[in-house]
Amino acid sequence: MDPAAPASASAPPPQVAVVMGSDSDLPTLEPAVRILAQLGVATEVRVLSAHRTPREMADFAEAAASRGLRVIIAGAGGAAHLPGMVAAFSMLPVIGVPVRSQALSGVDSLHSIVQMPAGIPVATVAIGGGLNAGLLAASILAMTDPVLAQALEAYRRGLHDQVVAKDGRLQALGSAAYLEAMGQG
């Protein structure tokens, strides 16, 4: 089942919207959609351009809270105005994801998103940080959702256990054999 498929009558309404300025941004934002689905958070995924569809973008942002959305993840490359513009039209928390660009490798996008003027905040993750945007959105929701909080704790325990296992394997094999097993030796 596609985690970003439209909600059916039995599916929970989306709590997080994942919006992007272009469909070419989807590979950067798909990790957010996947982790939210893994954690049981329904999402809505949209293409809304601050420059090419400004009316649709404003309508979406203004109506987001009344439709039950609680967090918006907005990815954008280049001038990267989408996260800030969505934040300007909505009182919901907005998490900006800078998309890697050809011209400046996403540094332009990062600066555009992170340098919001005082009064209209946008939380910003790393260039290409779709996964962390999804986890941050889940953390925001988990403040009032104990089941989601437990799912996040389990996710982090899994990360811990992966690192402990890798360290144990490194200690057992030594660095040269470990790198060789990774295909880098």
Side-chain angles (χ1 to χ4, degrees), residues 114-140:
V114 80
Q115 287 299 125
M116 285 298 297
I120 308 294
V122 173
T124 309
V125 296
I127 297 167
L131 176 64
N132 273 353
L135 290 167
L136 181 55
S139 294
I140 292 167

Side-chain angles (χ1 to χ4, degrees), residues 83-112:
M85 291 301 296
V86 168
F89 283 99
S90 178
M91 294 300 293
L92 295 176
V94 175
I95 303 167
V97 181
V99 174
R100 187 171 308 281
S101 60
Q102 286 186 327
L104 298 171
S105 298
V107 173
D108 50 344
S109 309
L110 173 64
H111 288 175
S112 180

